[in-house]
Amino acid sequence: AVVSTQSTGKHKEVTLHMDGPLGETILECYNCGCRNVFLLGFIPAKADSVVVLLCRQPCAAQTSLKDMNWDQSQWQPLINDRSFLPWLVKIPTEQEQLRVRQITAAQINKLEEMWKEDPGKTVEDLDKPGIDEDPQAVMLRYEDAYQYQNVFAPLVKMEADYDRKL
């Protein structure tokens, strides 16, 4: 869920958790400092038992890597099958997964929209009344002006609120 949230939410930088395998670390390219995790990958160093994080373009494609004893054909992305590699992020145990709150993609999207207005919003705020209320559907014909106003007034207000945010 974290990776899908990042890709749809335009979040590209990651700091690993302090209790994770690598501790509290900001993931960035060794060569240029790029922090976009969707561009980052790693190359194992030939001599040492270490890996080097490099972005796909331009750093991993540079021919100067051969001078540093790195084999650019060994480059692999940090994200595989919509998940971070297990040596980066601790995989939860089955017991931990049972305790996890189940959240849908629609709820994630709604929460991200709410964060634009108030970054302090939580998943509990999704259950509050009025959060998921959609406006009435627009009809082709209306019985009277009162019905027309009841449908269009909330839409006009929503558009005005959206324009104010921009």
Side-chain angles (χ1 to χ4, degrees):
V2 173
V3 174
S4 67
T5 299
Q6 285 191 293
S7 62
T8 59
K10 311 288 187 260
H11 306 286
K12 295 175 176 63
E13 295 183 13
V14 170
T15 301
L16 300 178
H17 193 273
M18 64 176 148
D19 295 336
L22 300 176
E24 190 171 354
T25 306
I26 297 173
L27 299 179
E28 66 182 3
C29 177
Y30 174 79
N31 196 36
C32 71
C34 171
R35 293 183 176 181
N36 183 341
V37 292
F38 298 103
L39 297 178
L40 290 176
F42 72 96
I43 295 178
K46 289 180 183 175
D48 306 317
S49 60
V50 297
V51 296
V52 178
L53 299 184
L54 292 173
C55 61
R56 183 181 308 128
Q57 290 291 335
C59 299
Q62 292 177 352
T63 56
S64 63
L65 294 182
K66 293 176 183 169
D67 301 337
M68 297 180 171
N69 207 17
W70 299 335
D71 182 3
Q72 58 198 107
S73 68
Q74 295 286 317
W75 186 92
Q76 296 176 36
L78 295 182
I79 298 173
N80 186 21
D81 195 25
R82 298 174 58 106
S83 299
F84 285 102
L85 296 175
W87 54 267
L88 279 174
V89 179
K90 184 181 116 187
I91 298 173
T93 64
E94 284 187 35
Q95 187 69 23
E96 291 170 327
Q97 288 183 17
L98 291 174
R99 291 187 2 235
V100 170
R101 176 180 307 162
Q102 297 298 320
I103 185 168
T104 65
Q107 289 173 313
I108 290 171
N109 292 337
K110 185 64 180 172
L111 188 56
E112 286 181 346
E113 286 297 315
M114 290 167 49
W115 283 341
K116 291 177 184 176
E117 294 176 22
D118 181 2
K121 295 283 187 181
T122 64
V123 176
E124 286 78 28
D125 293 320
L126 292 172
D127 297 331
K128 292 183 178 174
I131 294 294
D132 282 335
E133 290 181 11
D134 288 329
Q136 291 182 25
V138 176
M139 298 183 286
L140 291 175
R141 293 193 174 94
Y142 296 91
E143 294 177 19
D144 55 21
Y146 181 74
Q147 183 186 27
Y148 178 88
Q149 189 213 359
N150 284 341
V151 170
F152 275 92
L155 294 173
V156 171
K157 182 185 180 320
M158 287 173 59
E159 185 175 12
D161 291 344
Y162 178 79
D163 288 345
R164 261 187 243 117
K165 280 190 252 179
L166 298 178

